[in-house]
């Protein structure tokens, strides 16, 4: 039997504060070996230090206290798997916060006020082979590139069209945060005007000329944006889908997500009910960049490596959108296809 240590001695051994130890006791995470019934002093066995240190480390990690309780009682392999999932979640959260932080830096510094680039663009939308209606909508203009993918038939078609019409009115006014917020409001209002009942659902992904050689990216749903720069294709958006949340949690690989039967389930979208939470981020524009916006009718149907090759091979945006739609059709075009391709050119 180990000798019992006072809370002070045990705290030094475990490298924790007595205050933390009292909290762990109150939460049922680490009970003292004995409590003096007269004084209320807590006593610990030296062997409890390992559990105390683990609890302390998990708290430093930022794990919620409720989860810590489950984790320290689980078999090590189970606890390790739970921590791996937590790590993946942290990485996804950090990436999202990083994009928002970059956007705010942009907003505060008004960086890139010099305009040295222009855009050449093309957009296209086609009804899928097994579809009778096309709920996808696309638009490309000098300050706005956008694709929306509506759901549930005619009301979705009206929603995506309304979202695209609203986003076309975008004008940067020097206050990036304010103008993006205003745009989200007007897009929501446009969808609400179509159907206030909440049946109207659409995705929206837009690249907005934010002043200077910069783009603000507004994104909600699973329509994707990406850029081909110096031969490499980079995705600029993260899908708001159930399968992406599984990827973020480390329980599904991106390859598994691509063929998952529930890959079309959205976790975020624009609806007539409001309360949309789009991701906002920014990206620079360099002459030679080729931006792509595409609905899932293209991105799910045609593998990303093939999209990259098509973008790299097409001489201009018109050729690129034609080749992309053709590739979706060759792959059976199970869904409607909408895409925008924009080339950044030196002015
Ligand atoms: Mg679709």
């Amino acid at each position: 039997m180990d000798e019992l240590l006072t809370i002070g001695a045990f705290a030094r051994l475990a490298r924790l504060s007595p205050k933390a130890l009292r909290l762990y006791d109150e939460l049922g995470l680490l009970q003292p070996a004995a409590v003096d019934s007269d004084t209320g002093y807590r006593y610990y066995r030296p062997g409890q230090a390992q559990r105390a240190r683990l609890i302390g480390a998990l708290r430093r990690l930022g794990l919620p206290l409720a989860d810590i309780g489950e984790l320290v009682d689980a078999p090590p392999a189970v606890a390790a798997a739970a921590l791996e999932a937590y790590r993946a979640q942290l990485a996804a959260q950090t990436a999202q916060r990083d994009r928002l932080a970059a956007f705010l830096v942009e907003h505060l510094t008004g960086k890139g006020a010099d305009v040295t680039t222009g855009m050449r663009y093309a957009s296209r939308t086609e009804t899928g082979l097994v579809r009778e209606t096309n709920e996808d909508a696309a638009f490309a203009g000098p300050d706005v590139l956008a694709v929306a993918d509506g759901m549930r038939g005619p009301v979705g078609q009206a929603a995506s069209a309304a979202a695209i019409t609203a986003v076309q009115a975008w004008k940067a006014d020097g206050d990036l945060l304010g103008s993006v917020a205003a745009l989200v409001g007007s897009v929501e209002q446009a969808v609400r005007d179509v159907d206030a009942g909440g049946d109207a659902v659409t995705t929206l992904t837009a690249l907005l000329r934010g002043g200077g050689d910069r783009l603000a990216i507004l994104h909600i749903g699973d329509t994707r944006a990406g850029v081909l720069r110096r031969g490499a294709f980079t995705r600029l958006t993260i899908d708001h889908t159930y399968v992406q949340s599984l990827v973020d949690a480390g329980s599904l690989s991106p390859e598994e997500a691509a063929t998952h039967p529930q890959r079309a389930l959205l976790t975020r979208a624009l609806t007539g009910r409001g309360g949309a939470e789009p991701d906002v981020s920014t990206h620079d524009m360099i002459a030679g960049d080729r931006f792509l916006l595409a609905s899932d009718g293209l991105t799910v149907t045609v593998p990303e490596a093939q999209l990259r090759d098509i973008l790299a091979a097409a001489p201009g945006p018109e050729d690129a959108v034609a080749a992309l739609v053709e590739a979706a059709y060759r792959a059976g075009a199970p869904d409607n296809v909408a895409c925008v391709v924009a080339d950044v050119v030196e002015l």
Side-chain angles (χ1 to χ4, degrees):
M1 177 91 185
D2 294 330
E3 66 171 310
L4 291 180
L5 301 176
T6 64
I7 191 166
F10 183 73
R12 282 191 294 280
L13 177 68
R15 304 188 60 78
L16 291 163
S17 69
K19 186 175 161 213
L21 291 172
R22 282 192 287 271
L23 175 71
Y24 300 168
D25 182 13
E26 281 154 23
L27 294 169
L29 293 174
L30 181 73
Q31 280 165 358
V35 179
D36 188 308
S37 54
D38 290 335
T39 62
Y41 289 162
R42 294 165 167 89
Y43 294 91
Y44 294 84
R45 285 191 310 275
Q48 290 182 284
Q50 198 181 358
R51 182 182 172 98
R53 286 191 203 106
L54 181 58
I55 294 167
L58 292 171
R59 283 195 75 207
R60 283 200 298 282
L61 193 59
L63 207 67
L65 285 164
D67 295 345
I68 291 177
E70 274 181 37
L71 225 136
V72 289
D73 288 327
V78 174
L83 278 176
E84 280 295 356
Y86 184 65
R87 282 182 72 189
Q89 248 166 30
L90 281 182
Q93 281 167 10
T94 303
Q96 190 174 346
R97 290 170 73 176
D98 179 64
R99 290 194 299 277
L100 180 57
F103 174 83
L104 292 173
V105 167
E106 194 97 348
H107 164 67
L108 292 168
T109 56
K111 193 170 114 188
D114 293 345
V115 177
T116 66
T117 60
M119 282 202 285
R120 277 206 294 261
Y121 41 80
S123 70
R124 184 105 175 252
T125 174
E126 294 291 339
T127 308
L129 285 172
V130 296
R131 296 296 183 112
E132 288 182 351
T133 56
N134 187 355
E135 296 91 359
D136 286 9
F139 173 80
D143 295 317
V144 177
L145 311 166
V147 170
D149 179 354
M151 267 135 267
R152 302 177 195 165
V155 73
Q157 192 171 4
S160 62
I164 290 292
T165 303
V167 85
Q168 281 178 43
W170 159 265
K171 272 276 169 275
D173 62 0
D175 170 14
L176 196 56
L177 189 60
S179 39
V180 168
L183 178 63
V184 173
S186 65
V187 168
E188 277 195 324
Q189 185 59 51
V191 175
R192 196 174 305 131
D193 290 346
V194 165
D195 170 64
D199 286 336
V201 177
T202 183
T203 70
L204 176 66
T205 298
L207 302 188
L208 309 158
R209 193 84 198 231
D213 295 327
R214 307 290 299 178
L215 290 168
I217 304 171
L218 181 69
H219 164 69
I220 186 160
D222 66 349
T223 296
R224 289 181 186 171
V227 62
L228 182 75
R229 177 175 284 179
R230 296 185 202 101
F233 184 79
T234 308
R235 221 188 280 175
L236 302 176
T237 52
I238 294 176
D239 296 347
H240 298 138
T241 56
Y242 169 66
V243 292
Q244 182 62 45
S245 69
L246 296 181
V247 172
D248 289 347
S251 48
L252 203 67
S253 74
E255 294 71 32
E256 289 167 330
T259 56
H260 196 283
Q262 285 165 321
R263 62 178 180 259
L265 281 184
L266 296 182
T267 51
R268 284 196 245 168
L270 276 171
T271 73
R273 289 188 301 272
E277 288 178 57
D279 283 342
V280 287
S281 54
T282 61
H283 202 274
D284 59 340
M285 301 160 62
I286 300 177
D289 284 349
R290 175 167 279 179
F291 286 91
L292 170 71
L293 294 175
S295 66
D296 64 339
L298 182 65
T299 59
V300 166
T301 312
V302 183
E304 198 161 276
Q306 198 184 335
L307 292 180
R308 191 221 76 92
D309 292 348
I310 293 168
L311 288 172
E318 289 285 353
D319 313 286
V321 294
L324 290 167
V325 169
E326 197 192 313
Y329 270 75
R330 269 204 309 270
D335 192 5
N336 303 308
V337 182
C339 59
V340 168
V341 170
D343 287 354
V344 180
V345 294
E346 212 136 351
L347 280 183

